[in-house]
């Protein structure tokens, strides 16, 4: 697929030791990637979105059309498409929170999705992008179905809780209570270790 060739080209340009004269300017074929966001095939749209999201130093303005397209995917009937879109929105939430401000309302409506893996991705994104006043409400919603999740998704939630503690120190008590409850839930060694490690890091990082 041509999009993957463009992806490799961008990766080669961003690699250490790449020609510095090629950096700092517009990326080659970016217009092609942006145009691919309007392709009639969903798989092409998602692939183009993935490549743009993974561009080093991608800007908010470059991500905006990606977010607009992914927002439409959230209401698709096909779970695989919604899941892929939510995964990309989670990646964006790590580095460009501001570009997701207009998507929060749509994401909150998906919290009760019957697919728990998908709803976990939703809650993780909301925890990353949520305001201080929404933290406790979101914790109550996710606590209800945490036992139904696999350890991989539980670990994602715990990592998001860690970031929230650093972002909103005033919510530390509620967040640590959530982790304490999670520690008493069923789960494997990696999940429990992640909770304990998170406790230790919070104690060291938050006054």
């Amino acid at each position: 697929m041509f999009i993957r060739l463009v992806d490799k080209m961008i990766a080669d340009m961003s690699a250490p030791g790449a020609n510095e004269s090629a950096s700092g300017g517009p990326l080659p074929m970016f217009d092609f990637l942006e145009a691919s966001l309007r392709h009639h095939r969903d798989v092409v749209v998602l692939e183009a979105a993935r490549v743009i999201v993974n561009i080093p130093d991608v800007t908010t303005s470059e991500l905006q059309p990606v977010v607009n397209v992914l927002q439409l995917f959230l209401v698709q009937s096909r779970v695989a498409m919604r899941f892929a879109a939510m995964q990309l929105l989670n990646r964006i939430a790590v580095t460009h929170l501001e570009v997701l401000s207009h998507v929060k309302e749509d994401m909150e409506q998906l919290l009760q999705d019957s697919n728990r893996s998908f709803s976990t991705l939703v809650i993780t994104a909301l925890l990353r992008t949520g305001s201080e006043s929404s933290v406790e409400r979101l914790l109550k919603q996710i606590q209800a179905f945490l036992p139904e999740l696999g350890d991989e998704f539980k670990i994602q939630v715990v990592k998001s809780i860690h970031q929230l503690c650093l972002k909103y120190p005033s919510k530390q008590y509620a967040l640590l209570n959530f982790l304490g409850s999670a520690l008493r839930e069923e789960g494997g060694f990696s999940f429990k270790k992640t909770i304990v490690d998170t406790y230790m890091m919070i104690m060291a990082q938050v006054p």
Side-chain angles (χ1 to χ4, degrees):
M1 186 184 292
F2 193 51
I3 291 176
R4 292 178 182 171
L5 293 176
V6 174
D7 188 20
K8 186 177 186 307
M9 185 187 307
I10 293 172
D12 290 344
M13 289 182 61
S14 304
N19 188 347
E20 292 186 6
S21 65
S23 62
L27 286 168
M29 305 302 294
F30 185 85
D31 289 344
F32 165 75
L33 290 174
E34 193 169 16
S36 296
L37 295 174
R38 298 184 290 275
H39 198 276
H40 66 278
R41 291 185 62 197
D42 290 345
V43 66
V44 174
V45 174
L46 286 171
E47 186 68 9
R50 181 192 65 79
V51 173
I52 294 174
V53 169
N54 289 337
I55 292 174
D57 302 318
V58 64
T59 67
T60 298
S61 60
E62 289 168 339
L63 283 173
Q64 189 61 66
V66 175
V67 172
N68 293 342
V69 166
L70 295 177
Q71 187 174 9
L72 298 176
F73 273 80
L74 293 180
V75 295
Q76 278 220 9
S77 58
R78 288 180 293 171
V79 175
M81 296 295 104
R82 288 187 288 134
F83 195 88
M86 201 65 239
Q87 283 183 313
L88 290 174
L89 288 171
N90 259 288
R91 290 190 205 172
I92 294 170
V94 174
T95 55
H96 293 79
L97 292 176
E98 66 282 359
V99 80
L100 297 179
S101 58
H102 67 289
V103 190
K104 290 180 187 178
E105 186 175 338
D106 286 353
M107 288 195 293
E108 287 205 29
Q109 295 176 10
L110 298 170
L111 284 174
Q112 303 306 318
D113 192 276
S114 59
N115 185 304
R116 290 313 192 193
S117 297
F118 175 74
S119 56
T120 302
L121 286 176
V122 174
I123 198 74
T124 303
L126 286 171
L127 286 172
R128 287 172 174 161
T129 61
S131 63
E132 188 170 6
S133 61
S134 68
V135 169
E136 293 182 49
R137 173 171 54 82
L138 291 173
L139 289 178
K140 286 180 182 178
Q141 289 177 290
I142 194 171
Q143 196 161 27
F145 60 80
L146 189 68
E148 302 174 28
L149 302 176
D151 281 5
E152 177 187 354
F153 294 105
K154 290 179 181 178
I155 289 171
Q156 288 182 26
V157 172
V158 172
K159 289 179 178 179
S160 296
I161 296 297
H162 178 207
Q163 293 304 314
L164 272 181
C165 274
L166 302 182
K167 188 177 180 181
Y168 301 125
S170 65
K171 295 297 181 182
Q172 180 180 357
Y173 181 77
L175 292 164
L176 289 177
N177 268 349
F178 177 89
L179 290 178
S181 297
L183 192 59
R184 293 188 290 272
E185 297 286 349
E186 292 291 331
F189 175 77
S190 295
F191 170 54
K192 299 301 179 72
K193 184 177 184 300
T194 301
I195 295 176
V196 174
D197 289 346
T198 300
Y199 255 109
M200 300 302 292
M201 287 187 285
I202 290 171
M203 290 171 63
Q205 295 169 325
V206 180

